[in-house]
Structure formats: C-alpha cells, structure tokens
Amino acid sequence: MTEGLGREFCLVCGADPPLYGDRMCESCLRKRINLVQVPENIPWVRCARCGIVEIQGKWVHISEEEIWDELIQRHVHFHEKAEDIGLALESRTISDRHTMLHLQVEGKIENLSFQEEHKMRARMANGVCLTCTRRAGNYFEATVQLRSTGRRLSEEEFTTLRSTLDTVIESLSDDPMFFITSEGPVTGGYDVVLGSKGLARTWGRHLVTTYGGHVAESNSTVGRKDGIDVTRLTLLYRKPGYDIGDVLRWRDNFWRVASWSKDGAIMSRIDRQERTGATWRDLESSNVVAQMKDHVIVDIINEDSSVAEFLDPTNWNMAAVRIAWDHTPRQKLRLARIDGEWLALHKLGCDDENEGKSV
Ligand SMILES: [Zn+2]
Ligand SMILES: [Zn+2]
C-alpha cells in the first residue's frame, strides 16, 4: 500500500481490490497466468530392437504409465507460486508412435483456485540402445567355459549349470552390458560369451559356491583403444563330476570321496585305511569310475578272513571278492564294478545306515 495515492486499484483495468500478485484484480490475473505450462509435443525414444526406453540418457525398463509420468515431470512446468497441486492424466493412443496425454490440473495461486485442462502429444522415436548396439556388433568381453573334472557331464547337467546364469542376471541390476553374445555346446563342455567381465566373474563365483570346484581366469589382450589395452577374459569353470561316496581313480589308486573340504575334498582310500585332503586342482587328474548310484549292495554267502562269496547280480553266478579293510563278518557288501571286476568298498558316513545288517 502506498500512501498518497488514495486507494489501491488494478494496474491493468483499474478495478477495486482485492488485488493479487503484481497488483492485478482476479480476472486480469487469470487472463495472464496459467497454473501450468504444457508443451504441445514431447519426444521420447524407445529401442526399436528390445523396447527399453531412454530416460535422460539412460536406458531403462519401464511401463507406459511410468513413461508418461516421467514426461510430465520433465516437461510440465507449474507456476512458481502454485500450491496444493493435483493432476489427473488420461492417455489416448493415436497411432503407433503418437499418444495424446490429457491433463487435468488443479491448484492454488495466492489462494485463488485454478482448474485447467491441457493436452500434449507424446511422440515416440525409434532408437537403438547400447545393449542392442553392442549385441548387433557381436561385442563381448568375456567367455565362460563350463567343463567338468572326473567325468563327462550329461547334457542335462550342462543345461542345469547354464540355467544358473539366468538366475544370476535376474538378481543383478539392469546393467546394459549384462547380455549373452553367443553360447553353445563344445566338445566336453559348454561355452557362453558375455558382454561383461563383471557378469562373468559373478557367475563364476556363483557356480563355485553352488557346486564346488574352482574357476581359472585368464586374460588376453586383443588390441588398444584410446591408449588402453583392450582385454578379453576367459573363465574356465570345472564342475566336480564326483560326489560324496563316488569311487575315483586318482594317483594310481581307488578312493572314495568322504566329504567336502574348504577347497576340495577329503579322500578315503579303498584298499587300505588312509585319508587325505585333495584340492579341486589335485582332483582334476581324477576319474570317476563308479558313482554312488551304480554301487550294488549284496548279501554274503560264504566268507573267510580275506574273501567273501556272493551271487553276482549281473549273471547270478557265485563270485568272490576281497573284503574291505573295515569289514565285519556277516555285513553286507557294497560293491563297485570297475573294468569288469568287482571291488568291495569300505563304509563311509554317506552309506545307507541299514545296509550293513544282513537279513
Ligand atoms: Zn483488472
Ligand atoms: Zn535395445
């Protein structure tokens, strides 16, 4: 209020108070300001290959509603004095690329209520995201080689191993480089070529934690870019093909895997009482000769202090075998068939509790 001018009036039309803002009456104010400024057209980019959306330079997986919210946040500008803002949105698809967004907004400016309706056209443009660009260029940083020790894995076992990669990718953040460039079976294994070294290493750790064994890592330099060596990573994972109780040929003797240790297994020798620790690497030279599931349990017909006779389940003829070092009389025999010969196995904690009792 300025002394000396007598009374207040609207600077535009001369109307009496109440006055608002820059000394205008309500109707002059309403003619001059809007609650929101809404652009007519707003562009946005979707990857033409995989459908993900670019939001402020980042490619993200978001729903259509989230796209509209994002566009409104960035492009609809409320009056700086707006308060108690409310916004309702209705979207109408016009064509493949065009969507009309109808906005109903309400709010207060200097305690005057405003209600406005606006529309803006969201125009989709096709782009290609980083992942798709790199995929199309067969980009890769790492190869993971799935192999085994002790025995060849079945196709099913490789399928199970490979499927853990999907689990790992799902559990990680939306990194555009977490993609598979190519994959497929190779002699004795399965290879997966990946867009990210980090993904390869994470998967390698997951495999070791889940299945034991270890990962051997090697790097090769494939060139230079911007003064920095470009390297490729190869991870060789060998899944132990043996399990607790299996019979292995290792260091010229037969052993059973007694238990797992921190970095390998405790091995229990079959022809005499001996236990030793072996690392995963030590066991790379081992061969599985009889898995637990292939062992047979038989009753003894006759026995003396060193040999037991039993009915050979493959032909029902009488056969003889040297008894194991821990054998107790009348105990059943656990047998493994190795190179056409029967071998009596000593007992391990993993063997069936009841099998020792002859019926
Ligand atoms: Zn006025
Ligand atoms: Zn894409």
Side-chain angles (χ1 to χ4, degrees):
M1 226 178 275
T2 315
E3 289 291 325
L5 286 176
R7 60 178 187 89
E8 292 268 306
F9 54 89
C10 171
L11 287 182
V12 180
C13 70
D16 288 333
L19 302 180
Y20 302 88
D22 300 318
R23 291 173 66 189
M24 278 185 282
C25 70
E26 180 177 343
S27 85
C28 289
L29 181 82
R30 285 189 183 278
K31 276 178 211 153
R32 279 165 181 75
I33 65 169
N34 273 325
L35 185 60
V36 286
Q37 301 287 339
V38 179
E40 222 173 291
N41 293 298
I42 41 174
W44 60 284
V45 180
R46 187 195 281 285
C47 174
R49 288 166 186 264
C50 71
I52 70 171
V53 175
E54 186 182 20
I55 301 290
Q56 296 187 294
K58 272 194 162 180
W59 291 93
V60 289
H61 288 271
I62 57 173
S63 68
E64 210 150 72
E65 282 97 79
E66 288 171 311
I67 298 170
W68 310 145
D69 285 347
E70 178 66 32
L71 294 179
I72 288 167
Q73 287 223 353
R74 265 188 292 149
H75 298 283
V76 171
H77 298 291
F78 279 84
H79 191 276
E80 55 180 12
K81 289 181 179 165
E83 290 173 320
D84 299 338
I85 294 161
L87 188 149
L89 167 72
E90 208 180 279
S91 61
R92 287 213 186 97
T93 306
I94 298 170
S95 70
D96 288 355
R97 289 167 176 253
H98 294 179
T99 305
M100 193 60 86
L101 304 177
H102 297 267
L103 301 172
Q104 279 192 323
V105 287
E106 54 179 41
K108 284 183 176 165
I109 296 171
E110 299 203 36
N111 266 328
L112 293 174
S113 290
F114 283 73
Q115 285 190 333
E116 296 174 4
E117 287 190 13
H118 297 270
K119 58 182 183 177
M120 61 182 193
R121 187 191 295 258
R123 302 167 74 135
M124 189 264 284
N126 280 327
V128 183
C129 75
L130 183 63
T131 308
C132 289
T133 307
R134 296 227 155 142
R135 265 187 186 158
N138 277 323
Y139 178 92
F140 75 98
E141 285 186 355
T143 303
V144 177
Q145 302 173 322
L146 301 178
R147 302 290 186 272
S148 63
T149 56
R151 106 192 128 79
R152 249 186 116 131
L153 301 183
S154 67
E155 203 172 300
E156 204 183 333
E157 286 175 297
F158 276 118
T159 304
T160 305
L161 275 187
R162 161 61 184 84
S163 70
T164 62
L165 175 58
D166 300 332
T167 315
V168 168
I169 291 177
E170 271 167 36
S171 71
L172 295 169
S173 65
D174 250 355
D175 189 307
M177 301 318 291
F178 289 176
F179 61 82
I180 298 163
T181 306
S182 63
E183 61 180 309
V186 296
T187 308
Y190 194 91
D191 283 1
V192 184
V193 182
L194 298 167
S196 152
K197 290 177 186 177
L199 175 60
R201 289 200 176 99
T202 306
W203 187 28
R205 280 194 297 274
H206 179 86
L207 289 168
V208 168
T209 312
T210 313
Y211 299 106
H214 75 278
V215 166
E217 190 173 304
S218 59
N219 279 285
S220 60
T221 304
V222 292
R224 272 176 87 76
K225 194 184 176 195
D226 304 328
I228 299 165
D229 282 343
V230 178
T231 61
R232 295 264 166 81
L233 173 72
T234 302
L235 290 186
L236 170 60
Y237 171 67
R238 288 192 184 277
K239 180 187 185 295
Y242 36 84
D243 217 324
I244 305 283
D246 289 354
V247 177
L248 271 60
R249 190 196 308 270
W250 180 55
R251 295 184 174 164
D252 301 327
N253 283 295
F254 293 119
W255 304 75
R256 294 187 74 188
V257 182
S259 60
W260 303 123
S261 64
K262 200 171 118 280
D263 58 350
I266 305 297
M267 303 295 284
S268 175
R269 194 158 153 176
I270 290 173
D271 65 346
R272 67 174 191 226
Q273 187 168 10
E274 181 184 338
R275 278 189 172 227
T276 187
T279 64
W280 302 119
R281 208 174 281 269
D282 292 336
L283 290 168
E284 279 182 10
S285 61
S286 69
N287 275 307
V288 177
V289 290
Q291 288 182 266
M292 273 290 267
K293 65 179 172 62
D294 299 324
H295 300 171
V296 295
I297 312 294
V298 297
D299 289 316
I300 291 174
I301 309 286
N302 299 302
E303 64 180 299
D304 63 21
S305 60
S306 61
V307 173
E309 288 184 313
F310 61 99
L311 281 178
D312 185 329
T314 62
N315 56 18
W316 303 112
N317 289 330
M318 196 72 101
V321 69
R322 190 166 84 105
I323 54 175
W325 53 263
D326 65 343
H327 181 74
T328 52
R330 297 193 57 74
Q331 192 184 34
K332 289 190 182 191
L333 295 172
R334 172 178 285 267
L335 300 173
R337 186 90 173 158
I338 298 164
D339 299 334
E341 304 275 334
W342 289 108
L343 178 67
L345 308 179
H346 62 290
K347 288 188 72 64
L348 286 179
C350 60
D351 297 343
D352 186 357
E353 289 276 305
N354 301 318
E355 77 188 37
K357 291 166 198 148
S358 194
V359 283

